[in-house]
Amino acid sequence: MAEELLIPENTSKAETYQALIPQIKALIEAEKDLIANLANISAALKTGFNFFWVGFYILKNEQLVLGPFQGPIACTRINLNKGVCGAAFQQKKTILVPNVDEFPGHIACSSDSKSEIVVPVIKNDKVEMVLDIDSDQLNDFDETDQKSLEVLMALLSNSIE
Ligand code: SME
């Protein structure tokens, strides 16, 4: 497949997800390497929505360790009981944070981050990693992001061997 992403312009967030998800699905179906796929998913979401930061934290030795991402450098290790990432890991569910300053225990990798969504990637009932997206706008994530990103993370989970 051509290494080019087709992103519709001047359209709604839902339509952008609708356009992006099949393209990302095709990318990850064509490649078995997990790191390559996480890197392309991060790049596709960053390019598609111009989010401030998009990346993965992967479970390794009882910590969430920074994986492929797009954006400014970030915290490298998160304890499982810390931050929004730790909360999504422990609760095994998506966490939407409209205002990071109001989330108890939020880990500020950048003071420019204002709102956040974290989606766990669950395989065989176990959280293997989380997708973390930060915005420099308050209240930037909603149910459309949650539903679309959960669909995408289910596709990713299916691709993990
Ligand atoms: N804010 C996250 C930490 C990771 S950075 O946002 C990239 C958290 O509270 O878990």
Side-chain angles (χ1 to χ4, degrees), residues 53-67:
W53 195 93
V54 181
F56 289 88
Y57 282 92
I58 303 168
L59 180 65
K60 290 183 186 175
N61 298 323
E62 297 302 305
Q63 280 189 313
L64 292 167
V65 181
L66 183 63

Side-chain angles (χ1 to χ4, degrees), residues 53 57 74 78 83-85 106-107 109 116 132 134:
W53 195 93
Y57 282 92
I78 297 175
V84 187
C85 291
H106 168 259
I107 301 164
C109 295
E116 182 163 0
D132 181 13
D134 288 22

Side-chain angles (χ1 to χ4, degrees), residues 4-72:
E4 189 185 358
L5 204 61
L6 298 174
I7 302 163
E9 284 175 26
N10 305 318
T11 187
S12 68
K13 190 158 66 172
E15 283 171 334
T16 305
Y17 277 116
Q18 269 171 29
L20 279 182
I21 288 175
Q23 296 182 75
I24 298 175
K25 182 170 184 273
L27 279 171
I28 62 183
E29 280 174 356
E31 175 56 60
K32 281 190 183 305
D33 189 88
L34 178 63
I35 297 298
N37 286 334
L38 300 184
N40 264 344
I41 293 171
S42 304
L45 293 173
K46 176 88 166 96
T47 315
F49 296 97
N50 200 23
F51 291 130
F52 176 70
W53 195 93
V54 181
F56 289 88
Y57 282 92
I58 303 168
L59 180 65
K60 290 183 186 175
N61 298 323
E62 297 302 305
Q63 280 189 313
L64 292 167
V65 181
L66 183 63
F69 71 95
Q70 295 269 317

Side-chain angles (χ1 to χ4, degrees), residues 50-135:
N50 200 23
F51 291 130
F52 176 70
W53 195 93
V54 181
F56 289 88
Y57 282 92
I58 303 168
L59 180 65
K60 290 183 186 175
N61 298 323
E62 297 302 305
Q63 280 189 313
L64 292 167
V65 181
L66 183 63
F69 71 95
Q70 295 269 317
I73 61 164
C75 324
T76 54
R77 287 172 188 270
I78 297 175
N79 288 334
L80 300 181
N81 58 350
K82 298 283 184 209
V84 187
C85 291
F89 177 87
Q90 290 194 314
Q91 293 172 36
K92 282 191 183 172
K93 66 177 181 97
T94 298
I95 305 220
L96 282 154
V97 183
N99 179 351
V100 296
D101 290 338
E102 291 174 0
F103 187 92
H106 168 259
I107 301 164
C109 295
S110 164
S111 57
D112 288 331
S113 173
K114 303 281 188 254
S115 58
E116 182 163 0
I117 185 169
V118 179
V119 184
V121 180
I122 300 168
K123 179 88 187 172
N124 299 330
D125 211 33
K126 184 173 165 275
V127 180
E128 300 223 347
M129 65 194 78
V130 299
L131 168 69
D132 181 13
I133 306 182
D134 288 22
S135 170

